[in-house]
Amino acid sequence: MIPLSVPNLNGNEWRYIKECLDTNWVSSAGAFVDRFEREFAAYVGAPYAVSTSNGTAALHIALLLAGVAHKNLVIVPNITFAASLNSIAYTGAEPLLIDVDAGTWQMDTPLLEEFLLQHAEMRGNTCHLRATGQVIKAIMPVHVLGNMVNMSHLMQLAQQYRITVVEDSTEALGSYYNNKHAGTFGQTGCFSFNGNKIMTTGGGGMIVTADATLAKHAKHLTTQAKTDPVEYIHDEVGYNYRLVNLLAAMGVAQLEQIPAFLTRKHQIAQRYNRAFAHLPFVQPQVTTTGTQPNHWLYTVQVPDRRSLLAFFKGHGIETRPLWTPMNQLPMFANCRYITQNNVSGYLFERCLSLPCSTGLTTEEQDTVINLLTDFYGN
Ligand SMILES: Cc1ncc(COP(=O)(O)O)c(C=O)c1O
């Protein structure tokens, strides 16, 4: 069995977690929480970082910080994991779906520009959808599979229309656009440390921002909005979205290994790219110009991923399609979907992620390469 992507826990995880157990600091406060936030902020080059229980919680809080409220619209790509849209739904706002680019599989920013030009209007400093009058409050670019959205274009549109940017960088730790780390373009950037991400805390997330007031508010909201710990006074509806010290300890240990993980991911991607270069039916994801991706999940576009997935499964190899496009899910089927050719639907039928754990051996890579080559050779 070759799994798709599994954690690599060969650093100081045991040592740091043991330190929590030995000192009795296992729960919602402790030195590792502060240390993980400080070191994570330094790694991505953001002034502030606030840890959360998972990436979905990070997105939810980031949207609240942006002032997203009931009936507002939030622009989001049609290809993403459902958690991006769930976090929007938690606020009572509606996702406005934008189709993706056929090569990079990221939000199609020229399509977004055209949409805003045709259908948005400014009323003072707020952008509204002309047809309904709804406020377009935020854009959530998602850096799908660790490749990145064209952030120059997206930020230019966001500034022009005064729309707040909340980056879903959950898959993009270690990815850079024009030498700037994912998640540091918008008002906030959100990360996930679930089991299959480039680093893991088992479950966990992070919000980064350059705004001290927002960072303070994020901490307040994620810790039940308590203002007086003795009298238990809370000044707004808060959330129990903390990352516990035990998991932050694991985060510190994993973050130490991030450079090594990125090197491995890069090597695997390069090797696959070289092997598939002569297979006309196999097209890897196109890297967005100016992007240095983290190669989180190595993914190819093939004529029929369903039969390829079944073939790999028959050989004990785990692969994974892209997520079902958001407009095809029942709870989001009524959302506005801006598209010309439904590229999302096309890619959903054709894209497949291949095994790419940082611990994947050369022999295992060869097995994947040979099977895929055989499949199309036939
Ligand atoms: C694009 C995207 N958004 C949001 C999330 C949510 O993160 P989490 O699973 O940590 O809640 C994930 C990962 O699972 C994701 O891939």
Side-chain angles (χ1 to χ4, degrees):
M1 171 72 191
I2 302 180
L4 180 72
S5 183
V6 290
N8 184 333
L9 307 171
N10 294 311
N12 285 317
E13 291 83 1
W14 275 112
R15 207 180 114 207
Y16 295 162
I17 289 172
K18 185 171 183 304
E19 213 173 301
C20 298
L21 298 174
D22 288 345
T23 56
N24 228 11
W25 282 95
V26 294
S27 191
S28 50
F32 279 112
V33 173
D34 299 337
R35 182 169 159 194
F36 186 35
E37 291 175 345
R38 204 172 50 244
E39 292 181 0
F40 191 88
Y43 180 78
V44 302
Y48 306 97
V50 176
S51 57
T52 58
S53 48
N54 54 60
T56 314
L59 288 168
H60 182 197
I61 295 296
L63 290 168
L64 294 177
L65 296 175
V68 171
H70 190 62
K71 286 285 174 208
N72 287 169
L73 291 167
V74 177
I75 293 168
V76 64
N78 194 38
I79 288 284
T80 183
F81 179 55
S84 313
L85 276 80
N86 287 339
S87 70
I88 297 168
Y90 299 162
T91 68
E94 291 173 21
L96 193 160
L97 303 168
I98 305 289
D99 203 0
V100 299
D101 177 82
T104 63
W105 315 339
Q106 311 296 311
M107 185 190 285
D108 183 339
T109 57
L111 183 66
L112 172 61
E113 177 167 22
E114 184 59 27
F115 168 76
L116 290 170
L117 194 66
Q118 300 292 333
H119 299 284
E121 70 181 21
M122 296 304 295
R123 296 184 196 161
N125 273 338
T126 45
C127 180
H128 293 254
L129 183 69
R130 194 177 294 116
T132 61
Q134 283 168 288
V135 176
I136 304 176
K137 192 71 182 174
I139 307 180
M140 183 186 284
V142 182
H143 305 301
V144 176
L145 301 171
N147 191 13
M148 284 186 67
V149 178
N150 178 342
M151 288 307 285
S152 309
H153 194 197
L154 188 125
M155 292 309 291
Q156 178 235 309
L157 294 174
Q159 272 147 23
Q160 186 182 338
Y161 289 92
R162 311 278 177 109
I163 308 175
T164 304
V165 174
V166 173
E167 285 180 77
D168 182 337
S169 322
T170 47
E171 301 174 1
L173 179 60
S175 300
Y176 294 81
Y177 178 86
N178 288 346
N179 298 319
K180 196 168 153 59
H181 198 286
T184 63
F185 292 82
Q187 181 185 71
T188 48
C190 300
F191 295 85
S192 162
F193 312 120
N194 82 7
N196 73 6
K197 291 293 184 291
I198 199 144
M199 64 161 266
T200 186
T201 57
M206 194 74 83
I207 304 168
V208 300
T209 181
D211 186 319
T213 311
L214 287 181
K216 206 166 163 219
H217 196 190
K219 196 51 138 181
H220 189 58
L221 284 173
T222 56
T223 53
Q224 303 282 26
K226 197 190 292 175
T227 51
D228 186 318
V230 180
E231 304 282 336
Y232 280 91
I233 296 169
H234 306 255
D235 63 354
E236 57 186 315
V237 174
Y239 300 84
N240 183 7
Y241 280 173
R242 291 169 283 213
L243 185 73
V244 296
N245 202 45
L246 269 174
L247 299 184
M250 190 163 162
V252 170
Q254 286 273 288
L255 194 61
E256 289 170 350
Q257 300 164 79
I258 270 287
F261 292 168
L262 290 170
T263 303
R264 280 298 295 149
K265 288 279 189 189
H266 184 73
Q267 284 168 346
I268 294 166
Q270 295 304 101
R271 197 146 185 280
Y272 277 150
N273 279 343
R274 277 198 303 276
F276 302 145
H278 66 283
L279 297 179
F281 293 122
V282 180
Q283 293 166 37
Q285 184 181 25
V286 175
T287 300
T288 306
T289 307
T291 298
Q292 194 186 316
N294 65 2
H295 302 288
W296 169 54
L297 279 188
Y298 185 90
T299 307
V300 287
Q301 185 182 326
V302 293
D304 176 10
R305 59 90 179 155
R306 286 178 196 272
S307 48
L308 183 60
L309 186 149
F311 174 73
F312 271 131
K313 193 173 174 197
H315 285 85
I317 293 175
E318 187 188 12
T319 61
R320 192 178 101 173
L322 280 184
W323 311 273
T324 297
M326 295 299 107
N327 71 312
Q328 295 184 29
L329 300 180
M331 61 287 196
F332 303 123
N334 291 330
C335 294
R336 241 177 224 85
Y337 172 35
I338 312 307
T339 180
Q340 278 168 350
N341 301 309
N342 190 21
V343 175
S344 310
Y346 182 89
L347 293 174
F348 174 55
E349 293 300 332
R350 287 167 180 78
C351 293
L352 199 68
S353 299
L354 305 180
C356 54
S357 305
T358 52
L360 195 72
T361 64
T362 308
E363 292 71 34
E364 288 171 330
Q365 290 168 52
D366 285 342
T367 303
V368 173
I369 290 167
N370 293 337
L371 282 170
L372 195 142
T373 308
D374 282 354
F375 187 78
Y376 284 107
N378 292 338

